[in-house]
Amino acid sequence: MAKTLFLVLITTALINNVVLSQFLGICPFIGVSKNVKTAAGMGGAVIFVMTISCAVTNLLYTYVLEKLGLTYLNTIAFIMVIAFLVQLVELFLKKTSPSLYKALGVYLPLITTNCAVLGAALTNVQSSNDFVTSVVTGFGTAVGFTIAIVIMAGVREKTENNEFPEAFKGTPAVLLTACLMSIAFYGFTVFA
């Protein structure tokens, strides 16, 4: 069991990276990856929200929606759970780290609609994962998101003052970097 959970963790974080192989969560990935500190803060918030939401949504689906025959409401119910957790993170950051709260800006409430968070919860349901596997999948997916966004922020900080052709300045350079990162992460499939 421990070996299986470790493989789930590695697979979700590196091989099936939510941003670089599934292309979910692109908005905060591009928007918040200008600074490593801010990117790490966003990654921490996503780790918390995604891990807890995968746990809660698994319980909600298994013990409420499935038992009552309301599985068609899973997307709405999951979004409500995620929105509640994001509000908790927002209140916590506003109280404990106002500078990080301000740096994350509009991207913090956008975790509510971050398709990576909802995608992890829905994938757990579709894969019929048990509670522990759902939590590990959520945590691994969030760690993968954090790895990707911190690497992207590091690259962006290093290349900020570099000369680029006019056509590649700004978003095109970021998307090209993301593309190259995707190719690099694709190399992890060799070990799968």
Side-chain angles (χ1 to χ4, degrees), residues 27-49 85-86 88-112 114 145-146 149-150 153:
C27 179
F29 175 70
I30 292 174
V32 183
S33 63
K34 295 176 183 168
N35 176 297
V36 171
K37 185 177 178 185
T38 307
M42 174 60 96
V46 169
I47 287 172
F48 174 80
V49 170
L85 291 170
V86 168
L88 286 178
V89 169
E90 197 168 356
L91 290 172
F92 177 77
L93 286 179
K94 192 174 189 178
K95 190 78 169 168
T96 61
S97 181
S99 60
L100 179 59
Y101 174 78
K102 188 176 180 181
L104 292 174
V106 71
Y107 294 101
L108 187 57
L110 282 178
I111 295 175
T112 301
N114 185 341
F145 176 86
T146 303
I149 197 169
V150 168

Side-chain angles (χ1 to χ4, degrees), residues 19-21 23 26 29-30 33-34 147-160 162 164 168-186:
V19 176
L20 300 173
S21 71
F23 305 108
I26 297 292
F29 175 70
I30 292 174
S33 63
K34 295 176 183 168
I147 289 169
I149 197 169
V150 168
I151 290 172
M152 174 61 88
V155 170
R156 287 180 77 174
E157 280 185 359
K158 292 288 184 190
T159 61
E160 183 177 330
N162 290 1
F164 283 103
F168 284 109
K169 286 186 180 176
T171 304
V174 174
L175 293 175
L176 184 60
T177 303
C179 180
L180 293 172
M181 287 174 59
S182 294
I183 292 168
F185 271 69
Y186 182 74

